[in-house]
Amino acid sequence: KNEVEQSPQNLTAQEGEFITINCSYSVGISALHWLQQHPGGGIVSLFMLSSGKKKHGRLIATINIQEKHSSLHITASHPRDSAVYICAVGSETSYDKVIFGPGTSLSVIP
Amino acid sequence: KAGVTQTPRYLIKTRGQQVTLSCSPISGHRSVSWYQQTPGQGLQFLFEYFSETQRNKGNFPGRFSGRQFSNSRSEMNVSTLELGDSALYLCASSPRDPGSYGYTFGSGTRLTVV
């Protein structure tokens, strides 16, 4: 079993839909990160959180430490949101080691 | 302020050769970490440097090595290249601990081994 898992693996949505991507992990963590990778490879760090909820524009990230689960929500999705979304956790025991999830490929259709 | 700069952007090498990739972190960032991304394995942690010291290393063979200079710039080297080393190599910089402080990624170096 992978230490960090994401669901769904692939997601296609109509423009304007509300989107949820899930991440579950099995290790102790110092923090959880959501990353966005566009075609071509560039990666942008969206959120870093260790508890509760963060919001930035149309993006919302939540984490439940007890359940070892995080969700990334996109409200009013837009074609420019099409990307791969990657969940990554910073290891609690080895603070400088990062473990990545497999990514969720999102395609938003106009 | 300038972001994380990786050079070169693209590289084609032959099996058996060696390659050196460069990463210049954001000014003031002292941690540089390296990652390999392949279609089959996704993103995998290679190693992380802080103040010229390697603090952690992922599960990669000894052909993969790196170093960090006093100005925090980092290089990674892959010797005796194999076809399976073809990948996007990303570096990221962080003020201190990338797992806890967040990181900024470079655009990557796409290496093709033929």
Side-chain angles (χ1 to χ4, degrees), chain A residues 45-65:
Chain A
S45 180
L46 296 174
F47 294 103
M48 181 178 72
L49 62 166
S50 54
S51 65
K53 173 180 170 179
K54 285 190 176 179
K55 185 177 189 291
H56 186 259
R58 296 180 295 106
L59 302 177
I60 303 167
T62 64
I63 187 169
N64 184 316
I65 296 295

Side-chain angles (χ1 to χ4, degrees), chain A residues 4 11 18 31 39-40 44 52 59 62 64 71-72 82 84-85 101 105 107:
Chain A
V4 181
L11 184 56
F18 180 85
V44 174
L59 302 177
T62 64
N64 184 316
S71 293
L72 176 68
S82 298
V84 175
Y85 292 84
S105 179
S107 179

Side-chain angles (χ1 to χ4, degrees), chain A:
Chain A
K1 186 173 167 27
N2 294 327
E3 293 170 301
V4 181
E5 295 186 328
Q6 288 184 235
S7 63
Q9 185 177 2
N10 297 287
L11 184 56
T12 300
Q14 285 293 130
E15 182 173 358
E17 283 187 7
F18 180 85
I19 290 163
T20 296
I21 299 170
N22 297 298
C23 174
S24 60
Y25 53 92
S26 58
V27 296
I29 68 168
S30 53
L32 183 142
H33 308 258
W34 281 102
L35 311 172
Q36 180 192 56
Q37 184 172 31
H38 281 282
I43 293 181
V44 174
S45 180
L46 296 174
F47 294 103
M48 181 178 72
L49 62 166
S50 54
S51 65
K53 173 180 170 179
K54 285 190 176 179
K55 185 177 189 291
H56 186 259
R58 296 180 295 106
L59 302 177
I60 303 167
T62 64
I63 187 169
N64 184 316
I65 296 295
Q66 287 73 32
E67 295 186 2
K68 295 189 173 180
H69 181 270
S70 175
S71 293
L72 176 68
H73 305 286
I74 305 175
T75 62
S77 59
H78 189 276
R80 65 174 174 265
D81 297 326
S82 298
V84 175
Y85 292 84
I86 302 168
C87 167
V89 300
S91 170
E92 185 179 57
T93 55
S94 181
Y95 61 85
D96 46 324
K97 182 177 178 182
V98 179
I99 306 168
F100 296 91
T104 293
S105 179
L106 170 66
S107 179
V108 181
I109 301 169

Side-chain angles (χ1 to χ4, degrees), chain A residues 30-35 37 39-45 48 84 86 88-91 94-102, chain B residues 9-10 33 35 37 42-45 48 55-59 88 90 97-107 110:
Chain A
S30 53
L32 183 142
H33 308 258
W34 281 102
L35 311 172
Q37 184 172 31
I43 293 181
V44 174
S45 180
M48 181 178 72
V84 175
I86 302 168
V89 300
S91 170
S94 181
Y95 61 85
D96 46 324
K97 182 177 178 182
V98 179
I99 306 168
F100 296 91
Chain B
R9 288 295 308 277
Y10 302 93
S33 46
Y35 307 89
Q37 186 177 38
L43 266 167
Q44 295 185 90
F45 171 78
E48 189 254 353
R55 292 198 294 191
N56 206 349
K57 192 176 193 297
N59 295 323
L88 178 67
L90 291 154
D97 316 327
S100 300
Y101 283 77
Y103 28 62
T104 303
F105 281 88
S107 298
R110 189 167 295 280

